[in-house]
């Protein structure tokens, strides 16, 4: 009789323990998913804000037909180490880099992930770059205006 009672108690304890572990696990996973979404949203907002700040002097230099000033702006922005900008690029519609803060990139094509996003009209791309670094790209279309020529 005592063996049966202990067996029932053991089953109850294991059932309750399993239920509690499952609830804690699901709550933790849910919390991680929500936090990750918030981090991504805040990162996108930060990048979008920086993009607007960067775009203004670039457009101004283009309108004023000052290519040397444009190159200095690109280099300066990429040189700001505290905001972790890898590079700033101006592209042709086919993805060819025509101006960049990294001179070695000029004439090359952008990453395939960026090109796919441009074709889809997406502004943000998250991917791991060839160096293995998790990267976010902000893609802003700035049409070449007649007054820039």
């Amino acid at each position: 009789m005592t063996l049966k009672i202990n067996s029932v108690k053991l089953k109850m304890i294991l059932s309750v323990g399993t239920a509690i572990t499952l609830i804690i696990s699901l709550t933790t996973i849910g919390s991680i998913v929500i936090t990750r979404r918030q981090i991504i949203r805040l990162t996108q907002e930060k990048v979008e804000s920086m993009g607007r700040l960067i775009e203004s002097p670039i457009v101004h230099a283009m309108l004023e037909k000052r290519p040397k000033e444009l190159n200095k702006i690109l280099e300066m922005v990429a040189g700001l180490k505290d905001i972790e900008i890898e590079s700033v690029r101006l592209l042709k519609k086919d993805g060819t880099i025509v101006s960049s803060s990294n001179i070695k990139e000029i004439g090359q094509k952008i990453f395939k992930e960026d090109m796919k996003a441009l074709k889809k009209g997406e502004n943000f791309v998250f991917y791991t770059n060839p160096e293995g670094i998790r990267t976010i790209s902000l893609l802003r279309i700035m049409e070449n205006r007649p007054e820039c020529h």
Side-chain angles (χ1 to χ4, degrees), residues 70-79 85-90 97-106:
L70 177 63
N71 290 334
K72 286 181 183 177
I73 291 167
L74 296 179
E75 290 170 10
M76 180 191 71
V77 169
I85 294 178
E86 182 180 316
S87 64
V88 179
R89 304 171 185 112
L90 299 178
I97 300 170
V98 293
S99 189
S100 174
S101 57
N102 181 352
I103 295 171
K104 295 176 186 174
E105 294 179 334
I106 296 174

Side-chain angles (χ1 to χ4, degrees), residues 9 35 57 81 91 100-101 113 126 131 136 140 142-143:
K9 283 182 183 180
T35 301
K81 300 298 181 200
L91 322 166
S100 174
S101 57
E113 294 86 357
F126 292 90
E131 291 83 34
I136 180 173
R140 296 182 66 88
M142 298 176 358
E143 293 290 334

Side-chain angles (χ1 to χ4, degrees), residues 3 18 27 34 38 63 65 91 96 98 101 109 126 130 145:
L3 185 59
T18 302
T27 304
I34 290 169
Q38 288 174 335
L63 288 171
K65 299 177 180 97
L91 322 166
T96 303
V98 293
S101 57
K109 297 278 187 174
F126 292 90
R145 302 175 190 167

Side-chain angles (χ1 to χ4, degrees), residues 6 9-10 28 41 52 57-58 64 76 89-90 115 117 125-126 134 149:
N6 287 339
K9 283 182 183 180
L10 181 61
T28 302
R41 183 182 53 79
R52 284 191 298 272
I58 289 173
E64 295 291 321
M76 180 191 71
R89 304 171 185 112
L90 299 178
M115 197 64 212
V125 183
F126 292 90
R134 192 78 176 130
H149 298 288

Side-chain angles (χ1 to χ4, degrees), residues 12 24 81 98 139:
M12 289 285 292
I24 290 171
K81 300 298 181 200
V98 293
L139 308 168

Side-chain angles (χ1 to χ4, degrees), residues 34-50:
I34 290 169
T35 301
R36 184 174 187 276
R37 285 183 187 153
Q38 288 174 335
I39 289 170
I40 290 171
R41 183 182 53 79
L42 291 172
T43 301
Q44 286 176 320
E45 288 174 8
K46 178 183 174 186
V47 170
E48 182 68 36
S49 177
M50 286 189 302

